[in-house]
Amino acid sequence: MSRSRLTATLVAIIVAIPLIAMAVPRLAAGIITGPFDETVRQIGRGDEVNRADLRIARASRISALGWYDLAQFESDLGILNYTLARDEERGTELHRKLIDSAIAADLRAIELAPTAAYSWLRLAQAHIERDGAAAANKIAPFLRMSYAMARYDPRVVLTRLDIALLFWNDLPDDLQRETDEQIRLAMKWFPRELVHYTRTRNRLSQVRAALADDPQARARFNIMYFLRRDIPRDRS
């Protein structure tokens, strides 16, 4: 082998070594978490998940984070801790420990990726799960960032709307206006769920006011709410 070819080969090896070294931790982390990704997806779909599966998926994320700091792993850890906590009796040491761990994981996810909309929203959920009505003065910043990062994401509209309707009287004016927009989106995408949340949160006047500028949507909502039946939305 000529000296120039030998030199080129050595240079290529030297360049490749750090690239391989950087790739191995992420690859290892992916191998650890991959078999348990479906558990996280089940939570996202609202499916009932076996508690043992939740614990295993949680352990996989903790192990993976020992290899590679990734916002998605932290976010997954947040939702797994939060889901486990909701199966525990409120006020117990284990419940609080799991909720505090969920909050810590989502804060780390946001530190790694400030656009992590699900983590912003789950911080609001976790504070409500831990503090109940006392969370009213803590959730506004989290809702505000969730709106900023995923205003039109159908996957978070209903959860965010439910929280906003629950704490409506405590929301600042800007978040009430943001919620009005979410109500209009929910009427287009999830009208039955909107009616359900309106009833459970006792927010009829607020929802009807948000729909005031769309007579067709408001009429459809009124029929669904008062007559308990639906009419197809005009898609023209």
Side-chain angles (χ1 to χ4, degrees):
M1 181 182 291
S2 67
R3 183 181 295 273
S4 59
R5 180 172 294 183
L6 178 60
T7 301
T9 301
L10 289 173
V11 170
I13 292 172
I14 292 169
V15 170
I17 287 173
L19 295 176
I20 294 171
M22 287 189 296
V24 166
R26 183 161 188 168
L27 178 62
I31 291 171
I32 293 168
T33 60
F36 313 105
D37 287 348
E38 181 59 22
T39 300
V40 178
R41 287 192 288 267
Q42 285 178 306
I43 297 172
R45 292 194 300 264
D47 297 343
E48 185 173 347
V49 185
N50 182 283
R51 190 167 180 83
D53 290 342
L54 290 171
R55 290 197 183 104
I56 293 169
R58 177 177 179 267
S60 76
R61 267 55 187 179
I62 293 172
S63 179
L65 284 164
W67 283 90
Y68 192 80
D69 284 334
L70 186 67
Q72 187 60 57
F73 295 158
E74 293 286 9
S75 181
D76 290 350
L77 187 57
I79 195 171
L80 289 162
N81 280 322
Y82 174 75
T83 305
L84 283 164
R86 296 192 70 190
D87 283 340
E88 298 294 333
E89 183 180 352
R90 285 190 180 185
T92 62
E93 183 179 353
L94 180 56
H95 177 269
R96 187 172 187 89
K97 181 178 179 180
L98 286 167
I99 284 294
D100 287 346
S101 295
I103 291 171
D106 280 312
L107 286 173
R108 289 192 297 270
I110 289 166
E111 184 178 352
L112 292 167
T115 58
Y118 300 120
S119 287
W120 284 113
L121 182 58
R122 199 161 44 250
L123 283 170
Q125 291 178 286
H127 279 83
I128 294 167
E129 177 68 23
R130 187 185 67 185
D131 303 326
N137 62 352
K138 302 174 185 177
I139 63 172
F142 307 134
L143 286 178
R144 191 174 286 115
M145 289 303 299
S146 173
Y147 282 125
M149 297 301 142
R151 184 181 305 275
Y152 303 113
D153 188 338
R155 293 169 295 182
V156 297
V157 165
L158 288 178
T159 301
R160 191 162 52 201
L161 181 58
D162 187 34
I163 293 172
L165 291 178
L166 176 62
F167 289 95
W168 179 268
N169 293 331
D170 300 296
L171 296 181
D173 290 345
D174 66 308
L175 283 179
Q176 289 188 354
R177 290 191 296 271
E178 297 277 17
T179 303
D180 285 345
E181 182 183 40
Q182 298 290 288
I183 290 169
R184 291 187 284 272
L185 288 175
M187 192 61 214
K188 291 179 181 178
W189 297 339
F190 312 107
R192 291 176 181 81
E193 289 82 354
L194 175 61
V195 170
H196 170 72
Y197 289 140
T198 303
R199 285 200 180 101
T200 57
R201 301 309 184 194
N202 194 26
R203 297 298 179 196
L204 178 60
S205 61
Q206 288 81 6
V207 171
R208 295 184 75 236
L211 299 174
D213 292 336
D214 188 341
Q216 186 176 11
R218 182 164 171 168
R220 185 185 181 203
F221 174 83
N222 288 341
I223 289 172
M224 295 179 70
Y225 188 91
F226 293 109
L227 302 182
R228 296 179 182 269
R229 63 185 179 87
D230 193 9
I231 57 174
R233 181 166 66 92
D234 185 358
R235 299 181 182 276
S236 59

